[in-house]
Amino acid sequence: EDQVTQSPEALRLQEGESSSLNCSYTVSGLRGLFWYRQDPGKGPEFLFTLYSAGEEKEKERLKATLTKKESFLHITAPKPEDSATYLCAVTSGTYKYIFGTGTRLKVLA
Amino acid sequence: SAVISQKPSRDICQRGTSLTIQCQVDSQVTMMFWYRQQPGQSLTLIATANQGSEATYESGFVIDKFPISRPNLTFSTLTVSNMSPEDSSIYLCSVARTGGDTQYFGPGTRLTVL
């Protein structure tokens, strides 16, 4: 059964304190892994798509990496505006996304 | 990417009534989806809205409860029928150019059922 597990569930960081969020997955034939940011009361905002092991993508203070079993979202020198829930999803060649339960990130000034 | 709007953005409804949620995209897309996000939970796919044919529902979701229309390639509606407090959730539409590609989400409709 396809499954996505995100850790930690919640993370509190001081401004400038870099860290990583983890997304472990089990899927029969990964077609894509997706990272989204979701602010309270809003729809998920697309961040990255990763297709194959070894791939990396960057956007401002965020960097996503992919291995055959997991993905990391690295946050470098975070700011309070980076506070949000970060969601990971995978798809195995069909339209259906399997979402993790997310990591709630709080960055303190 | 795509610009997606949903109406209404939020609503408070009485038990036993129905609410229709609209999703509009600024360009033609192949795939449109409807998700539910219950309080404190992640996203669960309700159905795929197919243009010109009946929607494809996921396990646990049925057409009588969640009828869906998709009259063209830029618009879809989801109706939540005979509502109960357990239907209180955020309902989200998403779009993709082809199956398996990146999905882009609308802003969501926050539904509260009393």
Side-chain angles (χ1 to χ4, degrees):
Chain A
E1 181 184 347
D2 296 347
Q3 192 170 352
V4 175
T5 303
Q6 291 188 247
S7 62
E9 289 186 11
L11 182 62
R12 291 167 69 93
L13 299 173
Q14 292 293 323
E15 184 172 5
E17 179 186 2
S18 301
S19 187
S20 296
L21 313 182
N22 178 263
C23 172
S24 298
Y25 63 90
T26 304
V27 64
S28 53
L30 179 72
R31 173 162 176 164
L33 184 143
F34 310 89
W35 283 99
Y36 291 86
R37 168 193 171 127
Q38 186 174 29
D39 293 300
K42 296 187 177 181
E45 175 190 347
F46 170 70
L47 294 174
F48 303 109
T49 302
L50 301 169
Y51 293 105
S52 57
E55 189 174 2
E56 299 182 351
K57 290 193 175 174
E58 289 188 65
K59 178 181 179 181
E60 297 180 354
R61 295 177 293 282
L62 301 177
K63 179 180 177 180
T65 62
L66 180 64
T67 72
K68 290 185 177 180
K69 295 184 178 180
E70 58 192 349
S71 176
F72 292 93
L73 185 65
H74 308 277
I75 303 177
T76 302
K79 299 181 178 181
E81 52 262 43
D82 294 322
S83 298
T85 295
Y86 290 85
L87 297 169
C88 172
V90 298
T91 185
S92 59
T94 67
Y95 56 86
K96 187 172 181 178
Y97 276 23
I98 306 298
F99 276 91
T101 53
T103 294
R104 296 188 310 278
L105 174 65
K106 178 73 172 178
V107 182
L108 304 172
Chain B
S1 65
V3 177
I4 305 165
S5 60
Q6 286 186 233
K7 291 182 181 179
S9 58
R10 58 176 62 225
D11 207 340
I12 300 173
C13 300
Q14 295 297 319
R15 179 195 299 260
T17 63
S18 298
L19 177 71
T20 295
I21 302 167
Q22 299 179 4
C23 178
Q24 179 76 52
V25 191
D26 67 338
S27 60
Q28 293 186 346
V29 291
T30 307
M31 312 290 287
M32 293 184 77
F33 308 94
W34 287 98
Y35 286 81
R36 180 174 74 182
Q37 187 174 30
Q38 295 179 301
Q41 304 294 314
S42 193
L43 282 73
T44 301
L45 181 63
I46 297 171
T48 302
N50 300 310
Q51 195 263 329
S53 65
E54 195 170 282
T56 304
Y57 290 85
E58 297 299 310
S59 176
F61 297 96
V62 295
I63 188 171
D64 290 346
K65 176 67 175 177
F66 298 101
I68 288 170
S69 78
R70 189 176 174 192
N72 56 51
L73 293 177
T74 62
F75 185 79
S76 178
T77 66
L78 168 75
T79 299
V80 186
S81 303
N82 188 25
M83 289 184 286
S84 67
E86 292 71 37
D87 294 319
S88 297
S89 291
I90 297 174
Y91 291 86
L92 296 149
C93 71
S94 74
V95 304
R97 301 294 173 188
T98 60
D101 273 354
T102 300
Q103 292 184 24
Y104 299 92
F105 286 83
T109 295
R110 181 181 292 272
L111 170 62
T112 301
V113 184
L114 303 177

